[in-house]
Amino acid sequence: MEKRQELYKGKAKTVYATDDPQRLVMHYRDDVSAFDGVKLAKLDLKGETNNKINAYVMGKLAGAGVPTHFLSVINERESLVKAMKMIPVECVVRNVVAGSMAKRYGIEEGMKLPEAIFEFFLKSDALHDPLVNDDHIRVLKWATADEIVEMKTLTHKVNAVLKPLFAKAGIDLVDYKLEFGHPLDDPRGPLVLGDEFTPDGCRLWDAKTGEKMDKDRFRRDLGSVIEHYRDVARRIGAPL
């Protein structure tokens, strides 16, 4: 597989074309950002750590019957993925109250929910990813009614796999975001999980101490960001 031109540079990843239009290279950089790019830094080993965590998690999900865009690890910082047309909304699962949910409803962080809460957000940095509902998505044609149902079903299936996986490692899977789309080689087929699953896009707390093990360590200036990312990898069994 020949890596070719850069197609897209995000906050922490760069996507490259290949000689196969249905396949892309996802390159994980050492960049870290918060508050829609206002706070920026570079952290040694971040790119390769996230690449390995994502590969491990995607493998577990695929093994449980969740279709993903992930194909294989290429090297320390890069993975091969399916080219996708993404739906422009984020699916957020909350198992514990934290972050924007705590602020929005005036609830103290740390309350464990009796069942997972699902939320949709429009994917837009310029608008700070506003909360949206099913009607916004359907009427504004960001996704069809069937796709909305499919996103919810797949997201809850992911939660049923990952929540116990992290619990076994002594980690509370507090909340996280997922993104879905259609592979370019199957544009009318079932939805597929895209993007990534790493400590950049979820909240992970030590189950005993409540210590944060995710990007909140960077957001809140807690330090030892990569040390905690790598501890997450070791605990869940992702090879470093």
Side-chain angles (χ1 to χ4, degrees):
M1 189 67 64
E2 180 185 337
K3 179 179 169 184
R4 293 187 174 176
Q5 75 273 18
E6 177 182 315
L7 296 178
Y8 170 75
K9 187 172 184 179
K11 295 172 185 174
K13 298 190 300 295
T14 305
V15 177
Y16 294 91
T18 71
D19 54 340
D20 182 345
Q22 313 299 337
R23 303 291 182 260
L24 303 173
V25 171
M26 187 174 285
H27 177 95
Y28 290 80
R29 307 192 311 272
D30 284 342
D31 297 324
V32 60
S33 68
F35 313 119
D36 292 327
V38 173
K39 184 177 182 180
L40 301 168
K42 285 185 179 291
L43 301 172
D44 289 343
L45 298 177
K46 178 177 179 288
E48 65 178 73
T49 302
N50 275 358
N51 187 32
K52 291 171 181 177
I53 291 174
N54 179 69
Y56 182 81
V57 171
M58 290 290 176
K60 289 293 185 182
L61 292 174
V66 177
T68 84
H69 73 149
F70 177 83
L71 294 170
S72 63
V73 171
I74 299 172
N75 56 44
E76 292 289 303
R77 293 174 176 271
E78 294 181 332
S79 288
L80 186 68
V81 299
K82 297 177 183 178
M84 304 262 287
K85 181 179 181 181
M86 300 300 291
I87 292 176
V89 297
E90 296 177 347
C91 301
V92 171
V93 176
R94 301 187 184 276
N95 295 309
V96 181
V97 175
S100 64
M101 181 178 176
K103 294 176 183 176
R104 192 186 314 133
Y105 303 120
I107 304 171
E108 186 175 351
E109 278 199 331
M111 186 182 89
K112 291 191 176 183
L113 298 165
E115 61 182 270
I117 289 179
F118 179 99
E119 295 175 333
F120 277 126
F121 292 84
L122 177 64
K123 190 171 171 58
S124 171
D125 287 345
L127 299 175
H128 307 292
D129 299 333
L131 181 69
V132 296
N133 63 30
D134 296 22
D135 285 350
H136 293 120
I137 296 169
R138 179 180 53 79
V139 174
L140 295 172
K141 300 187 184 305
W142 296 325
T144 66
D146 287 345
E147 287 171 332
I148 290 169
V149 171
E150 199 173 358
M151 283 189 284
K152 290 181 177 181
T153 300
L154 285 170
T155 298
H156 284 296
K157 188 170 184 177
V158 168
N159 203 45
V161 175
L162 296 188
K163 188 178 176 184
L165 184 152
F166 281 98
K168 187 177 179 181
I171 299 171
D172 285 333
L173 180 55
V174 174
D175 58 34
Y176 56 94
K177 71 175 183 68
L178 302 176
E179 297 179 27
F180 295 95
H182 293 280
L184 294 190
D185 59 4
D186 191 16
R188 297 187 180 180
L191 285 178
V192 168
L193 177 64
D195 196 39
E196 65 175 77
F197 192 100
T198 72
D200 277 5
C202 62
R203 284 189 174 87
L204 303 167
W205 296 351
D206 183 276
K208 291 183 179 178
T209 67
E211 185 177 25
K212 293 173 173 57
M213 307 179 71
D214 54 74
K215 198 166 77 169
D216 271 348
R217 299 200 68 83
F218 176 70
R219 292 187 188 97
R220 303 186 186 191
D221 297 314
L222 299 175
S224 301
V225 179
I226 295 307
E227 291 83 353
H228 284 80
Y229 277 36
R230 293 179 77 79
D231 188 27
V232 167
R234 282 188 288 268
R235 289 202 201 184
I236 64 175
L240 291 176

